[in-house]
């Protein structure tokens, strides 16, 4: 158990819908990262938040957005869902902003299926 | 942009034997970190081992060790005394020491342990 929690574990929805994925980092960790794992794209970085502020952005679609709240939990919002958005979405956390010898610890993931 | 390549989609090994998983990467940076993550059937991403590029000594964690060849941009993982619980997908990952702290992953190697 990494100490990172994600809810829900599974999500089934329809095209065009909107969903929210939630992540709670390890106690004391200030950074949250979101990754997408799909069969065709592999594991890809989406976005990082550090202490409430967006720190880095990767291959995140405009239909997706994220935020980190004062209690440091984070939410990833996916809207106008398409079949290709079906994937495993991971949240990871680290102590600081991610530099130096920091390690990212991953949550169990949320499996999203868009029908 | 940095890239990570795992040329072995699948590997298999007899229980108690030794196996080596290959990883190469491309970067123009001199300071960075390399990781091996394990993803068992539960889909959880578990850190196996970490290597700092500035350290010449290869990292070791119990039965897991790496062969880090900086000039060749190679970072292989050796698993000694393979156990049934080692069966998983293994991902090699790169992270810059400065700038964006995202992990860049390879495509993964599926390791099967034969009893």
């Amino acid at each position: 158990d990494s100490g990172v929690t994600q809810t829900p574990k599974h999500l089934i929805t329809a095209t065009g819908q909107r969903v929210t994925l939630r992540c709670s980092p390890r106690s004391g960790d200030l950074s949250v990262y979101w990754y997408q794992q799909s069969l065709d794209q592999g594991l890809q970085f989406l976005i990082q938040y550090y202490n409430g502020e967006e720190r880095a952005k990767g291959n995140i679609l405009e239909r997706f957005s994220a935020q980190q709240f004062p209690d440091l939990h984070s939410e990833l919002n996916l809207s106008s869902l398409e079949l290709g958005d079906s994937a495993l979405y991971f949240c990871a956390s680290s102590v600081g902003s991610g530099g130096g010898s920091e390690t990212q610890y991953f949550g169990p993931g949320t499996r999203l299926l868009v029908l | 942009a940095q890239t990570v390549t795992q040329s072995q989609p699948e590997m298999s090994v007899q229980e108690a034997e030794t196996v080596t998983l290959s990883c190469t990467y491309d970067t123009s940076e001199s300071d960075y970190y390399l990781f091996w993550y394990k993803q068992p059937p539960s889909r959880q991403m578990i850190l196996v081992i970490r290597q700092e590029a500035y350290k010449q000594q290869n990292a070791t964690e119990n039965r897991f060790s790496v062969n880090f060849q900086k000039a060749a941009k190679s970072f292989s993982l050796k698993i000694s005394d393979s156990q049934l619980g080692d069966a998983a997908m293994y991902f090699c990952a790169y992270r810059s020491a400065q700038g964006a702290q995202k992990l860049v992953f390879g495509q993964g190697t599926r390791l099967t342990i034969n009893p």
Side-chain angles (χ1 to χ4, degrees), chain A residues 60-81:
Chain A
I60 188 166
L61 300 172
E62 286 191 8
R63 300 183 285 108
F64 296 1
S65 65
Q67 55 183 326
Q68 186 179 28
F69 294 87
D71 67 352
L72 300 176
H73 90 271
S74 178
E75 293 181 355
L76 178 67
N77 300 295
L78 316 177
S79 61
S80 303
L81 285 167

Side-chain angles (χ1 to χ4, degrees), chain B residues 52-103:
Chain B
E52 292 86 351
Y54 63 85
K55 288 187 178 178
Q56 292 187 335
Q57 186 173 6
N58 290 322
T60 299
E61 289 287 343
N62 300 315
R63 297 182 296 107
F64 299 87
S65 62
V66 298
N67 184 3
F68 172 49
Q69 301 290 327
K70 191 172 184 179
K73 296 180 183 176
S74 171
F75 183 60
S76 61
L77 175 69
K78 185 172 83 171
I79 306 175
S80 304
D81 186 25
S82 297
Q83 300 176 0
L84 294 178
D86 295 333
M89 282 288 288
Y90 286 81
F91 291 94
C92 179
Y94 172 101
R95 179 170 69 75
S96 298
Q98 297 175 2
Q101 301 305 315
K102 65 178 182 179
L103 289 168

Side-chain angles (χ1 to χ4, degrees), chain A residues 15-32:
Chain A
T15 54
Q17 295 299 304
R18 171 190 171 96
V19 296
T20 297
L21 312 183
R22 181 188 170 102
C23 168
S24 293
R26 296 186 319 158
S27 176
D29 284 1
L30 297 179
S31 271
V32 169

Side-chain angles (χ1 to χ4, degrees), chain A residues 2 33 35 37 40-43 45 48 56 88 90 97-104 106-108 111, chain B residues 33 35 37 39 42-47 50 52 54 91 95-97 100-107:
Chain A
S2 67
Y33 309 78
Y35 291 86
Q37 184 177 29
D40 53 345
Q41 298 290 332
L43 267 159
F45 168 74
Q48 176 197 1
L88 186 56
F90 283 109
S97 60
S101 60
E102 286 186 28
T103 295
Q104 294 179 26
F106 283 74
R111 182 174 293 281
Chain B
Y33 298 86
F35 305 83
Y37 280 88
Q39 188 178 39
S42 67
R43 298 292 185 179
Q44 175 82 46
M45 293 290 287
I46 302 166
L47 177 66
R50 180 183 72 192
E52 292 86 351
Y54 63 85
F91 291 94
R95 179 170 69 75
S96 298
Q101 301 305 315
K102 65 178 182 179
L103 289 168
V104 177
F105 287 92
Q107 289 299 100

